[in-house]
Amino acid sequence: MDFSVYRPGPPLSVRTTLLADDIGLLAPTGDIDMATAPLLAAAFEDLRREHAPRAVVVELAGVKFLGSAGLSCLANARADTELALSRLTHAVRRALEVGGLREYFPCYDTTEEARDGLLQRLSASVDRSA
């Protein structure tokens, strides 16, 4: 019996851009598992190196599977950068709940709400430091 699965194209693609001067966006599409989590981590590093955002929105509408390696990648990114998640699929919500990380990440229905939430958090942290 053959249990292999054929996947046409790359198993994960990640679009990166800036939403605002200090807010980056990562939008992965595909499965985030042990094989593809390094691609997501590399996308985080590229975004940081190229744009140096103070915060990042991760738009997860295109993610069909999020495994423990993907959760670890998101947690590691959050340790270095303000992070918010947007447009969570059922699979992503379930992985966050099972992994006990639902409360660890601010989650928003839309990318715009996530951007605005991060802008408020960044502005509040500037106000406190002044």
Side-chain angles (χ1 to χ4, degrees), residues 7 11-12 30-39 65-71:
R7 291 186 195 177
L12 181 72
D31 294 345
I32 305 174
D33 55 21
M34 190 176 2
T36 61
L39 298 172
F65 175 81
L66 179 62
S68 60
L71 290 171

Side-chain angles (χ1 to χ4, degrees), residues 20-24 53-56 81-83 114-129:
D21 288 341
D22 288 341
I23 310 287
R54 291 181 51 211
V56 175
T81 305
E82 286 283 336
L83 195 70
R115 178 201 60 214
D116 294 345
L118 285 172
L119 286 171
Q120 287 177 349
R121 289 170 65 184
L122 291 175
S123 131
S125 69
V126 168
D127 290 344
R128 277 181 262 149
S129 66

Side-chain angles (χ1 to χ4, degrees), residues 79-98:
D80 298 332
T81 305
E82 286 283 336
L83 195 70
L85 308 180
S86 72
R87 302 186 61 204
L88 281 64
T89 61
H90 175 73
V92 169
R93 285 184 194 282
R94 182 76 178 128
L96 290 171
E97 289 168 9
V98 168

Side-chain angles (χ1 to χ4, degrees), residues 33-65:
D33 55 21
M34 190 176 2
T36 61
L39 298 172
L40 183 61
F44 269 112
E45 289 306 313
D46 288 348
L47 182 65
R48 285 186 191 124
R49 187 175 46 255
E50 291 176 23
H51 301 290
R54 291 181 51 211
V56 175
V57 174
V58 182
E59 183 182 278
L60 295 162
V63 174
K64 294 177 175 63
F65 175 81

